[in-house]
């Protein structure tokens, strides 16, 4: 699948690489740890403007909320950054390289 354009439901300035959820026909940052997500923000923009979202199968950069190793499944944290998924959490992506908190690494979207 390819990237798709959606309308931002909030200011996403500086949030490229964060996990997004769908809400009321727009996209917003994931805000509940491990929640189901739509994809990963590929570019950033202000509320009510178009943003590009990486969907399943797409390789993109993700912002990390913790230390990960290549091959780890990643889930959204409470701020939309990604960290190693726990058993009860929805997988959003798989890490394609190692990284630590606040790094941006390549991952494949698998939501």
């Amino acid at each position: 699948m390819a990237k798709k354009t959606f309308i931002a439901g909030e200011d996403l300035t500086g949030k490229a690489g964060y996990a997004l959820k769908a809400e009321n026909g727009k996209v917003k940052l994931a805000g509940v740890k491990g929640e189901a997500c739509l994809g990963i923000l590929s570019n950033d923009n202000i509320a009510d403007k178009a943003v590009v979202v990486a969907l399943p199968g797409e390789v993109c950069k993700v912002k990390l909320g913790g230390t990960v190793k290549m091959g780890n499944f990643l889930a959204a944290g409470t701020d939309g950054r990604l960290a190693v998924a726990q058993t009860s959490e929805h997988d959003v992506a798989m890490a394609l390289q190692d990284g630590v908190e606040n790094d941006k690494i390549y991952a494949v979207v698998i939501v």
Side-chain angles (χ1 to χ4, degrees):
M1 188 158 239
K3 293 177 179 157
K4 181 159 174 44
T5 302
F6 294 90
I7 300 299
E10 63 186 349
D11 186 355
L12 297 174
T13 303
K15 301 298 183 185
Y18 284 63
L20 297 176
K21 64 181 177 181
E23 186 175 292
N24 298 322
K26 297 182 180 183
V27 293
K28 291 186 170 188
L29 287 178
V32 176
K33 187 171 175 8
E35 75 179 313
C37 294
L38 177 69
I40 304 294
L41 183 63
S42 292
N43 72 325
D44 46 16
N45 213 335
I46 60 175
D48 296 319
K49 298 293 182 182
V51 293
V52 178
V53 178
L55 298 173
E58 188 77 28
V59 173
C60 65
K61 285 206 165 189
V62 299
K63 180 81 168 193
L64 297 179
T67 299
V68 305
K69 297 288 184 193
M70 185 172 86
N72 285 155
F73 288 103
L74 307 176
T78 57
D79 61 358
R81 295 182 301 162
L82 286 93
V84 176
Q86 303 303 310
T87 304
S88 62
E89 297 176 337
H90 292 275
D91 297 336
V92 176
M94 182 194 304
L96 298 178
Q97 60 190 119
D98 296 348
V100 297
E101 186 171 7
N102 290 318
D103 280 354
K104 279 193 176 175
I105 66 160
Y106 283 103
V108 61
V109 181
I110 61 171
V111 285

